[in-house]
Amino acid sequence: MKQTYTIKEKTKQIMILLIPILITQLGMFSMVFFNTIMSGKYSSIDLAGVAIGSSIWSPVFTGLSSILLAVSPIVAQYLGEKRGEEVSSVVKNGLYLSVIITAVIILSGTFLLDPILDKMKLPSSVQQTANDYLIGLSYGILPLFLFNVLRSFIYALGKTRVVMIIMISSLPINLFFNYVLIFGKWGFPELGGAGAGYATSITDWVFLIFTAYIVKTKEPFSSFDVFSNMKEFSLIRCKEILKIGVPMGLSTFFETSMFAVVTILISKFSVATVAAYQAALNFVSFLYMIPTSISMAQTVLVGFEVGARRYKDARIYSWLGVVLAVGFSIICGVAVVVFRYQVAGLYSNEVVVISLTANFLILALVFHISDAIQVTAQAALRGYKDVNLAFIMTLIAYWLICLPAGYILANNTGLGAKGYWIGLTIGLLAAGIALSIRLIYIQKRKFVEGEENNTIENRLVK
């Protein structure tokens, strides 16, 4: 990364980081995308089982992995401050935290998975598929978390194309194992939706092996020696990561768990409705990778400029990210509404599922724009390491606005399951507005140009 001086240069810089991140995110999400599509082609029961399994795993994974993604803004600020010697210690302790978090998840899942599924009162075939799918996924938890730490380190150095190449190289492996394990081809067992979980875990190990090799052997990564002296465990470093990462993780957890709870609430409707809702949400989430990728580039760039105490540049990057995300979301949202039946046909051959999915997708435009605002405003705040109030704002928006609104609309109007989708949109929009106001506040009051920069920054760090 380098210092920029004009809007054109800043746009170019964010696009240089953004495009590889976007391809990587789309590649990672395509694994879930193909899991869903192939399971749906196998049967609607397997599609519903994978949907339920994903709804349980998604908030756990995204919440805890977001703790580890704190490595990115921390390293970016150290690089902006020209304190490269601190970087390797942050990455090493991020890897240690990955192992600890993985152990906690596996231990918790051993005792909690069956009770959670039992309480959902699903059809036995759907419950069995969800259970087997999650067991398959569990074999890839450790490599996935380790990979996320190394990915955050690579992104903070601005070398986003590296992870993109790893992702593109690994996708055929995921597609191959999805196909043979779901449908039982070429001598492999026919596992149905559960096969998608095992295919994902195999691919996670491939990600980790490729990424570790590059970090170990290729410049500029190898110069930081992140794998040397692995006994260098530091409580101080872990606390540094957790101080930023825990609010990030909780914020992400409450967002994704909100979606999971809605999926569970919708499960009282027919299997076709559950499958249609999940299909629509899956596709919109696929498009959501665009603002998510912008937000990842945004966090790194804002963090780098804040570390260098160029607060005007940090402010420009913050709002440039929001504008780009909203612009892309408008274009994608309109396209989804226009081609909603074609999109629905990707997920199912059943007429009723296609019709219900298309109805959900009509609401995609406003939903997508609201989501774009909140994710990029929050990403900019993370670049400033301003995460605590953002967590509280998202908690209120998701759980005290979104869910009650969705429940009321779904159960007290004629909207039915669509009421939950409208509730999601209301909650995301509330979060976006609140986070944007917070961003404006800290830029005007805490991170300002002038002689007071050093005093203010030191106070914030403390």
Side-chain angles (χ1 to χ4, degrees):
M1 292 181 294
K2 60 182 180 179
Q3 184 178 1
T4 55
Y5 301 94
T6 66
I7 294 292
K8 182 178 179 180
E9 289 179 347
K10 285 178 170 56
T11 303
K12 181 179 179 181
Q13 177 99 307
I14 201 171
M15 293 303 291
I16 289 172
L17 268 66
L18 162 64
I19 292 174
I21 292 176
L22 174 59
I23 294 172
T24 301
Q25 288 296 110
L26 290 173
M28 291 185 71
F29 190 81
S30 69
M31 293 196 298
V32 180
F33 182 76
F34 290 124
N35 286 352
T36 306
I37 286 182
M38 290 187 178
S39 298
K41 295 296 183 180
Y42 188 79
S43 78
S44 60
I45 290 174
D46 283 79
L47 175 58
V50 170
I52 296 298
S54 297
S55 72
I56 294 171
W57 169 238
S58 181
V60 175
F61 163 67
T62 54
L64 293 176
S65 66
S66 291
I67 295 175
L68 303 173
L69 294 179
V71 168
S72 191
I74 293 171
V75 170
Q77 285 206 12
Y78 278 140
L79 293 173
E81 295 168 359
K82 302 188 184 304
R83 295 169 60 190
E85 69 279 359
E86 309 282 353
V87 170
S88 62
S89 179
V90 172
V91 177
K92 288 175 189 176
N93 284 278
L95 296 173
Y96 277 121
L97 285 174
S98 298
V99 176
I100 295 170
I101 291 172
T102 298
V104 171
I105 293 175
I106 293 176
L107 184 62
S108 300
T110 301
F111 295 101
L112 297 178
L113 178 56
D114 287 337
I116 289 172
L117 289 173
D118 289 339
K119 286 184 178 297
M120 295 175 68
K121 301 187 182 305
L122 301 165
S124 59
S125 55
V126 174
Q127 179 171 334
Q128 187 61 51
T129 298
N131 181 81
D132 294 345
Y133 173 72
L134 289 169
I135 290 174
L137 282 178
S138 69
Y139 291 98
I141 295 175
L142 178 60
L144 186 56
F145 282 158
L146 294 172
F147 165 73
N148 275 333
V149 172
L150 297 177
R151 179 168 64 121
S152 297
F153 165 56
I154 292 171
Y155 282 175
L157 293 177
K159 305 297 182 181
T160 55
R161 282 199 306 168
V162 172
V163 182
M164 177 191 73
I165 293 170
I166 294 170
M167 175 59 59
I168 292 173
S169 302
S170 303
L171 271 181
I173 298 172
N174 177 254
L175 284 172
F176 170 79
F177 282 105
N178 253 316
Y179 178 69
V180 298
L181 291 175
I182 291 175
F183 297 100
K185 301 296 184 179
W186 300 332
F188 285 86
E190 184 178 344
L191 302 177
Y198 290 97
T200 301
S201 290
I202 293 169
T203 311
D204 291 337
W205 280 103
V206 174
F207 289 158
L208 176 61
I209 292 168
F210 283 173
T211 307
Y213 172 77
I214 289 173
V215 170
K216 176 69 175 177
T217 61
K218 305 297 181 183
E219 289 289 344
F221 318 112
S222 59
S223 63
F224 290 92
D225 292 325
V226 299
F227 295 124
S228 65
N229 192 19
M230 288 303 293
K231 295 181 180 179
E232 190 184 314
F233 179 79
S234 169
L235 283 175
I236 294 176
R237 286 294 183 209
C238 288
K239 288 179 181 178
E240 180 182 17
I241 296 171
L242 293 173
K243 183 178 179 180
I244 304 298
V246 168
M248 287 173 56
L250 287 173
S251 180
T252 304
F253 172 79
F254 283 117
E255 178 183 1
T256 52
S257 61
M258 170 188 69
F259 284 97
V261 169
V262 170
T263 300
I264 292 169
L265 291 171
I266 285 178
S267 66
K268 75 175 186 179
F269 295 92
S270 66
V271 170
T273 300
V274 175
Y277 168 78
Q278 187 62 26
L281 186 61
N282 179 264
F283 190 79
V284 172
S285 298
F286 189 80
L287 297 178
Y288 176 63
M289 294 301 100
I290 298 176
T292 297
S293 301
I294 292 172
S295 74
M296 287 181 155
Q298 192 182 10
T299 295
V300 171
L301 291 168
V302 171
F304 180 74
E305 298 297 349
V306 169
R309 293 183 170 83
R310 294 189 291 264
Y311 299 139
K312 180 180 179 181
D313 293 311
R315 183 171 66 252
I316 293 172
Y317 274 125
S318 299
W319 295 107
L320 181 59
V322 175
V323 170
L324 287 173
V326 170
F328 280 119
S329 297
I330 291 172
I331 295 170
C332 292
V334 170
V336 169
V337 172
V338 172
F339 297 104
R340 60 188 181 277
Y341 285 100
Q342 289 84 348
V343 171
L346 294 172
Y347 289 88
S348 180
N349 298 323
E350 300 173 21
V351 175
V352 63
V353 175
I354 292 174
S355 178
L356 288 169
T357 303
N359 285 334
F360 280 122
L361 288 173
I362 291 175
L363 303 170
L365 178 58
V366 179
F367 177 94
H368 201 39
I369 293 171
S370 301
D371 220 359
I373 296 171
Q374 69 90 20
V375 73
T376 47
Q378 189 166 196
L381 289 169
R382 289 173 177 176
Y384 286 103
K385 293 186 179 178
D386 188 271
V387 293
N388 292 320
L389 189 57
F391 153 63
I392 295 171
M393 288 176 171
T394 53
L395 174 61
I396 293 171
Y398 300 150
W399 286 83
L400 299 183
I401 297 176
C402 166
L403 284 177
Y407 185 85
I408 291 169
L409 291 172
N411 293 280
N412 294 282
T413 70
L415 291 170
K418 287 195 294 185
Y420 285 113
W421 192 286
I422 296 173
L424 290 172
T425 303
I426 293 171
L428 292 170
L429 183 59
I433 293 171
L435 292 167
S436 297
I437 292 171
R438 175 62 179 174
L439 183 59
I440 292 170
Y441 173 80
I442 67 166
Q443 289 173 341
K444 288 186 174 181
R445 298 292 182 90
K446 295 186 174 183
F447 291 88
V448 293
E449 301 291 331
E451 295 180 357
E452 67 216 329
N453 284 355
N454 290 344
T455 303
I456 294 173
E457 178 67 0
N458 288 337
R459 189 189 317 136
L460 283 169
V461 171
K462 292 178 181 178

